[in-house]
PDB file of all heavy atoms in Angstrom:
ATOM      1  N   THR A 650     -83.873   1.385 -31.110  1.00 98.00           N
ATOM      2  CA  THR A 650     -84.521   1.714 -29.835  1.00 98.00           C
ATOM      3  C   THR A 650     -85.681   2.694 -29.984  1.00 98.00           C
ATOM      4  O   THR A 650     -85.693   3.525 -30.899  1.00 98.00           O
ATOM      5  CB  THR A 650     -83.476   2.345 -28.874  1.00 98.00           C
ATOM      6  OG1 THR A 650     -84.130   2.872 -27.724  1.00 98.00           O
ATOM      7  CG2 THR A 650     -82.707   3.477 -29.531  1.00 98.00           C
ATOM      8  N   ALA A 652     -85.926   5.079 -28.184  1.00 95.00           N
ATOM      9  CA  ALA A 652     -85.349   6.396 -27.897  1.00 95.00           C
ATOM     10  C   ALA A 652     -85.156   7.222 -29.170  1.00 95.00           C
ATOM     11  O   ALA A 652     -84.885   8.423 -29.087  1.00 95.00           O
ATOM     12  CB  ALA A 652     -84.022   6.241 -27.162  1.00 95.00           C
ATOM     13  N   TYR A 674     -77.968   9.008 -26.992  1.00 95.00           N
ATOM     14  CA  TYR A 674     -78.132   7.587 -27.303  1.00 95.00           C
ATOM     15  C   TYR A 674     -79.119   7.406 -28.462  1.00 95.00           C
ATOM     16  O   TYR A 674     -78.796   6.769 -29.476  1.00 95.00           O
ATOM     17  CB  TYR A 674     -78.617   6.842 -26.045  1.00 95.00           C
ATOM     18  CG  TYR A 674     -79.112   5.450 -26.318  1.00 95.00           C
ATOM     19  CD1 TYR A 674     -78.285   4.511 -26.938  1.00 95.00           C
ATOM     20  CD2 TYR A 674     -80.403   5.060 -25.970  1.00 95.00           C
ATOM     21  CE1 TYR A 674     -78.745   3.228 -27.195  1.00 95.00           C
ATOM     22  CE2 TYR A 674     -80.866   3.786 -26.223  1.00 95.00           C
ATOM     23  CZ  TYR A 674     -80.034   2.871 -26.836  1.00 95.00           C
ATOM     24  OH  TYR A 674     -80.483   1.615 -27.103  1.00 95.00           O
ATOM     25  N   ASN A 703     -89.256  -1.658 -23.920  1.00 97.00           N
ATOM     26  CA  ASN A 703     -88.509  -2.070 -22.722  1.00 97.00           C
ATOM     27  C   ASN A 703     -88.342  -3.585 -22.662  1.00 97.00           C
ATOM     28  O   ASN A 703     -89.272  -4.302 -22.282  1.00 97.00           O
ATOM     29  CB  ASN A 703     -89.205  -1.531 -21.468  1.00 97.00           C
ATOM     30  CG  ASN A 703     -89.040  -0.031 -21.357  1.00 97.00           C
ATOM     31  OD1 ASN A 703     -89.492   0.718 -22.230  1.00 97.00           O
ATOM     32  ND2 ASN A 703     -88.382   0.424 -20.315  1.00 97.00           N
ATOM     33  N   THR A 719     -79.390  -0.316 -14.497  1.00 93.00           N
ATOM     34  CA  THR A 719     -80.224   0.874 -14.351  1.00 93.00           C
ATOM     35  C   THR A 719     -81.687   0.554 -14.645  1.00 93.00           C
ATOM     36  O   THR A 719     -82.545   1.415 -14.470  1.00 93.00           O
ATOM     37  CB  THR A 719     -79.779   1.987 -15.330  1.00 93.00           C
ATOM     38  OG1 THR A 719     -79.942   1.502 -16.672  1.00 93.00           O
ATOM     39  CG2 THR A 719     -78.341   2.402 -15.112  1.00 93.00           C
ATOM     40  N   HIS A 720     -81.965  -0.643 -15.135  1.00 95.00           N
ATOM     41  CA  HIS A 720     -83.321  -0.957 -15.585  1.00 95.00           C
ATOM     42  C   HIS A 720     -84.234  -1.365 -14.437  1.00 95.00           C
ATOM     43  O   HIS A 720     -83.802  -1.994 -13.472  1.00 95.00           O
ATOM     44  CB  HIS A 720     -83.279  -2.056 -16.658  1.00 95.00           C
ATOM     45  CG  HIS A 720     -82.676  -1.568 -17.935  1.00 95.00           C
ATOM     46  ND1 HIS A 720     -81.751  -2.270 -18.659  1.00 95.00           N
ATOM     47  CD2 HIS A 720     -82.860  -0.408 -18.610  1.00 95.00           C
ATOM     48  CE1 HIS A 720     -81.400  -1.580 -19.720  1.00 95.00           C
ATOM     49  NE2 HIS A 720     -82.054  -0.439 -19.707  1.00 95.00           N
ATOM     50  N   LEU A 721     -85.505  -1.010 -14.596  1.00 97.00           N
ATOM     51  CA  LEU A 721     -86.458  -1.140 -13.486  1.00 97.00           C
ATOM     52  C   LEU A 721     -86.620  -2.582 -12.986  1.00 97.00           C
ATOM     53  O   LEU A 721     -86.448  -2.840 -11.792  1.00 97.00           O
ATOM     54  CB  LEU A 721     -87.828  -0.566 -13.917  1.00 97.00           C
ATOM     55  CG  LEU A 721     -88.904  -0.637 -12.839  1.00 97.00           C
ATOM     56  CD1 LEU A 721     -88.533   0.239 -11.643  1.00 97.00           C
ATOM     57  CD2 LEU A 721     -90.258  -0.213 -13.409  1.00 97.00           C
ATOM     58  N   LEU A 724     -83.685  -4.215 -11.145  1.00 97.00           N
ATOM     59  CA  LEU A 724     -83.421  -3.517  -9.881  1.00 97.00           C
ATOM     60  C   LEU A 724     -84.459  -3.899  -8.824  1.00 97.00           C
ATOM     61  O   LEU A 724     -84.122  -4.159  -7.667  1.00 97.00           O
ATOM     62  CB  LEU A 724     -83.436  -1.995 -10.083  1.00 97.00           C
ATOM     63  CG  LEU A 724     -82.218  -1.412 -10.808  1.00 97.00           C
ATOM     64  CD1 LEU A 724     -82.398   0.091 -11.038  1.00 97.00           C
ATOM     65  CD2 LEU A 724     -80.941  -1.658 -10.022  1.00 97.00           C
ATOM     66  N   ILE A 736     -86.501   0.129  -3.684  1.00 98.00           N
ATOM     67  CA  ILE A 736     -86.479   0.647  -5.055  1.00 98.00           C
ATOM     68  C   ILE A 736     -86.928   2.103  -5.018  1.00 98.00           C
ATOM     69  O   ILE A 736     -87.898   2.456  -4.320  1.00 98.00           O
ATOM     70  CB  ILE A 736     -87.360  -0.192  -6.013  1.00 98.00           C
ATOM     71  CG1 ILE A 736     -87.217   0.291  -7.458  1.00 98.00           C
ATOM     72  CG2 ILE A 736     -88.828  -0.221  -5.572  1.00 98.00           C
ATOM     73  CD1 ILE A 736     -85.934  -0.081  -8.125  1.00 98.00           C
ATOM     74  N   MET A 737     -86.240   2.936  -5.749  1.00 98.00           N
ATOM     75  CA  MET A 737     -86.624   4.339  -5.826  1.00 98.00           C
ATOM     76  C   MET A 737     -87.551   4.508  -7.033  1.00 98.00           C
ATOM     77  O   MET A 737     -87.228   4.052  -8.140  1.00 98.00           O
ATOM     78  CB  MET A 737     -85.390   5.240  -6.024  1.00 98.00           C
ATOM     79  CG  MET A 737     -84.286   5.049  -4.999  1.00 98.00           C
ATOM     80  SD  MET A 737     -84.825   5.157  -3.291  1.00 98.00           S
ATOM     81  CE  MET A 737     -85.151   6.899  -3.143  1.00 98.00           C
ATOM     82  N   ILE A 738     -88.674   5.152  -6.830  1.00 98.00           N
ATOM     83  CA  ILE A 738     -89.605   5.445  -7.931  1.00 98.00           C
ATOM     84  C   ILE A 738     -89.282   6.854  -8.423  1.00 98.00           C
ATOM     85  O   ILE A 738     -89.415   7.824  -7.660  1.00 98.00           O
ATOM     86  CB  ILE A 738     -91.072   5.375  -7.436  1.00 98.00           C
ATOM     87  CG1 ILE A 738     -91.395   3.950  -6.966  1.00 98.00           C
ATOM     88  CG2 ILE A 738     -92.032   5.842  -8.524  1.00 98.00           C
ATOM     89  CD1 ILE A 738     -92.776   3.812  -6.313  1.00 98.00           C
ATOM     90  N   PHE A 739     -88.870   6.947  -9.685  1.00 97.00           N
ATOM     91  CA  PHE A 739     -88.438   8.247 -10.213  1.00 97.00           C
ATOM     92  C   PHE A 739     -89.651   9.101 -10.601  1.00 97.00           C
ATOM     93  O   PHE A 739     -89.992   9.203 -11.778  1.00 97.00           O
ATOM     94  CB  PHE A 739     -87.491   8.054 -11.385  1.00 97.00           C
ATOM     95  CG  PHE A 739     -86.194   7.368 -11.024  1.00 97.00           C
ATOM     96  CD1 PHE A 739     -85.562   6.507 -11.917  1.00 97.00           C
ATOM     97  CD2 PHE A 739     -85.596   7.575  -9.785  1.00 97.00           C
ATOM     98  CE1 PHE A 739     -84.371   5.880 -11.580  1.00 97.00           C
ATOM     99  CE2 PHE A 739     -84.407   6.952  -9.440  1.00 97.00           C
ATOM    100  CZ  PHE A 739     -83.790   6.102 -10.336  1.00 97.00           C
ATOM    101  N   CYS A 750     -94.310   6.670 -14.363  1.00 97.00           N
ATOM    102  CA  CYS A 750     -94.110   6.505 -15.820  1.00 97.00           C
ATOM    103  C   CYS A 750     -94.651   5.166 -16.313  1.00 97.00           C
ATOM    104  O   CYS A 750     -94.558   4.148 -15.635  1.00 97.00           O
ATOM    105  CB  CYS A 750     -92.627   6.561 -16.159  1.00 97.00           C
ATOM    106  SG  CYS A 750     -91.934   8.188 -16.078  1.00 97.00           S
ATOM    107  N   ARG A 752     -94.512   2.214 -19.303  1.00 97.00           N
ATOM    108  CA  ARG A 752     -93.646   1.644 -20.337  1.00 97.00           C
ATOM    109  C   ARG A 752     -94.260   0.364 -20.889  1.00 97.00           C
ATOM    110  O   ARG A 752     -95.078  -0.290 -20.249  1.00 97.00           O
ATOM    111  CB  ARG A 752     -92.260   1.288 -19.747  1.00 97.00           C
ATOM    112  CG  ARG A 752     -91.446   2.483 -19.302  1.00 97.00           C
ATOM    113  CD  ARG A 752     -90.926   3.266 -20.488  1.00 97.00           C
ATOM    114  NE  ARG A 752     -90.094   4.392 -20.086  1.00 97.00           N
ATOM    115  CZ  ARG A 752     -90.562   5.603 -19.798  1.00 97.00           C
ATOM    116  NH1 ARG A 752     -91.862   5.848 -19.844  1.00 97.00           N
ATOM    117  NH2 ARG A 752     -89.742   6.581 -19.467  1.00 97.00           N
ATOM    118  N   VAL A 789     -94.755   2.262 -13.334  1.00 98.00           N
ATOM    119  CA  VAL A 789     -93.685   1.795 -12.433  1.00 98.00           C
ATOM    120  C   VAL A 789     -94.308   1.128 -11.206  1.00 98.00           C
ATOM    121  O   VAL A 789     -93.871   0.054 -10.774  1.00 98.00           O
ATOM    122  CB  VAL A 789     -92.773   2.979 -12.025  1.00 98.00           C
ATOM    123  CG1 VAL A 789     -91.780   2.567 -10.952  1.00 98.00           C
ATOM    124  CG2 VAL A 789     -92.035   3.534 -13.246  1.00 98.00           C
ATOM    125  N   ARG A 812     -86.336  11.322 -13.097  1.00 90.00           N
ATOM    126  CA  ARG A 812     -85.035  11.108 -13.725  1.00 90.00           C
ATOM    127  C   ARG A 812     -84.981  11.923 -15.020  1.00 90.00           C
ATOM    128  O   ARG A 812     -85.922  11.863 -15.823  1.00 90.00           O
ATOM    129  CB  ARG A 812     -84.868   9.609 -14.030  1.00 90.00           C
ATOM    130  CG  ARG A 812     -83.500   9.215 -14.524  1.00 90.00           C
ATOM    131  CD  ARG A 812     -83.348   7.710 -14.628  1.00 90.00           C
ATOM    132  NE  ARG A 812     -84.193   7.106 -15.647  1.00 90.00           N
ATOM    133  CZ  ARG A 812     -84.200   5.805 -15.942  1.00 90.00           C
ATOM    134  NH1 ARG A 812     -83.419   4.979 -15.273  1.00 90.00           N
ATOM    135  NH2 ARG A 812     -84.998   5.339 -16.877  1.00 90.00           N
ATOM    136  N   ASP A 815     -86.580  11.159 -18.942  1.00 86.00           N
ATOM    137  CA  ASP A 815     -87.654  10.158 -19.013  1.00 86.00           C
ATOM    138  C   ASP A 815     -88.907  10.736 -19.667  1.00 86.00           C
ATOM    139  O   ASP A 815     -89.441  11.741 -19.195  1.00 86.00           O
ATOM    140  CB  ASP A 815     -88.048   9.700 -17.597  1.00 86.00           C
ATOM    141  CG  ASP A 815     -87.241   8.521 -17.115  1.00 86.00           C
ATOM    142  OD1 ASP A 815     -86.562   7.888 -17.936  1.00 86.00           O
ATOM    143  OD2 ASP A 815     -87.307   8.224 -15.906  1.00 86.00           O
ATOM    144  N   LEU A 819     -94.445   5.524 -22.864  1.00 95.00           N
ATOM    145  CA  LEU A 819     -93.931   4.961 -24.134  1.00 95.00           C
ATOM    146  C   LEU A 819     -94.634   3.633 -24.372  1.00 95.00           C
ATOM    147  O   LEU A 819     -94.435   2.675 -23.619  1.00 95.00           O
ATOM    148  CB  LEU A 819     -92.419   4.719 -24.050  1.00 95.00           C
ATOM    149  CG  LEU A 819     -91.483   5.913 -24.128  1.00 95.00           C
ATOM    150  CD1 LEU A 819     -90.033   5.468 -23.951  1.00 95.00           C
ATOM    151  CD2 LEU A 819     -91.652   6.656 -25.453  1.00 95.00           C
TER     152      LEU A 819
HETATM  153  N1  LIG B1070     -87.368   3.606 -12.934  1.00 71.30           N
HETATM  154  C1  LIG B1070     -87.592   3.896 -11.598  1.00 71.30           C
HETATM  155  N2  LIG B1070     -86.661   3.497 -10.691  1.00 71.30           N
HETATM  156  C2  LIG B1070     -85.516   2.842 -11.049  1.00 71.30           C
HETATM  157  C3  LIG B1070     -85.290   2.560 -12.427  1.00 71.30           C
HETATM  158  C4  LIG B1070     -86.243   2.962 -13.337  1.00 71.30           C
HETATM  159  O1  LIG B1070     -88.610   4.488 -11.227  1.00 71.30           O
HETATM  160  O2  LIG B1070     -84.685   2.541 -10.169  1.00 71.30           O
HETATM  161  C5  LIG B1070     -88.381   4.019 -13.913  1.00 71.30           C
HETATM  162  C6  LIG B1070     -87.835   4.949 -14.986  1.00 71.30           C
HETATM  163  O3  LIG B1070     -87.883   6.270 -14.553  1.00 71.30           O
HETATM  164  C7  LIG B1070     -88.776   4.651 -16.159  1.00 71.30           C
HETATM  165  C8  LIG B1070     -89.156   3.174 -15.950  1.00 71.30           C
HETATM  166  O4  LIG B1070     -88.817   2.873 -14.596  1.00 71.30           O
HETATM  167  O5  LIG B1070     -89.926   5.419 -16.019  1.00 71.30           O
HETATM  168  C9  LIG B1070     -88.379   2.256 -16.860  1.00 71.30           C
HETATM  169  O6  LIG B1070     -87.002   2.588 -16.747  1.00 71.30           O
HETATM  170  P1  LIG B1070     -85.822   1.696 -17.355  1.00 71.30           P
HETATM  171  O7  LIG B1070     -84.548   2.341 -16.964  1.00 71.30           O
HETATM  172  O8  LIG B1070     -86.050   0.266 -17.002  1.00 71.30           O
HETATM  173  O9  LIG B1070     -86.047   1.798 -18.923  1.00 71.30           O
HETATM  174  P2  LIG B1070     -86.202   3.122 -19.845  1.00 71.30           P
HETATM  175  O10 LIG B1070     -87.659   3.236 -20.172  1.00 71.30           O
HETATM  176  O11 LIG B1070     -85.544   4.295 -19.287  1.00 71.30           O
HETATM  177  O12 LIG B1070     -85.298   2.717 -21.080  1.00 71.30           O
HETATM  178  C10 LIG B1070     -85.736   1.876 -22.088  1.00 71.30           C
HETATM  179  C11 LIG B1070     -84.543   1.193 -22.714  1.00 71.30           C
HETATM  180  C12 LIG B1070     -83.681   2.197 -23.416  1.00 71.30           C
HETATM  181  C13 LIG B1070     -84.518   2.994 -24.371  1.00 71.30           C
HETATM  182  C14 LIG B1070     -85.657   3.637 -23.644  1.00 71.30           C
HETATM  183  C15 LIG B1070     -86.531   4.413 -24.577  1.00 71.30           C
HETATM  184  O13 LIG B1070     -83.807   0.518 -21.727  1.00 71.30           O
HETATM  185  O14 LIG B1070     -82.662   1.540 -24.128  1.00 71.30           O
HETATM  186  O15 LIG B1070     -86.445   2.641 -23.029  1.00 71.30           O
HETATM  187  O16 LIG B1070     -86.894   5.595 -23.943  1.00 71.30           O
HETATM  188  F1  LIG B1070     -83.762   3.977 -24.929  1.00 71.30           F
END
Side-chain angles (χ1 to χ4, degrees):
T650 170
Y674 167 57
N703 289 62
T719 62
H720 291 135
L721 180 65
L724 286 176
I736 185 74
M737 306 308 288
I738 297 174
F739 296 146
C750 286
R752 294 288 182 272
V789 172
R812 187 172 67 178
D815 271 346
L819 285 177

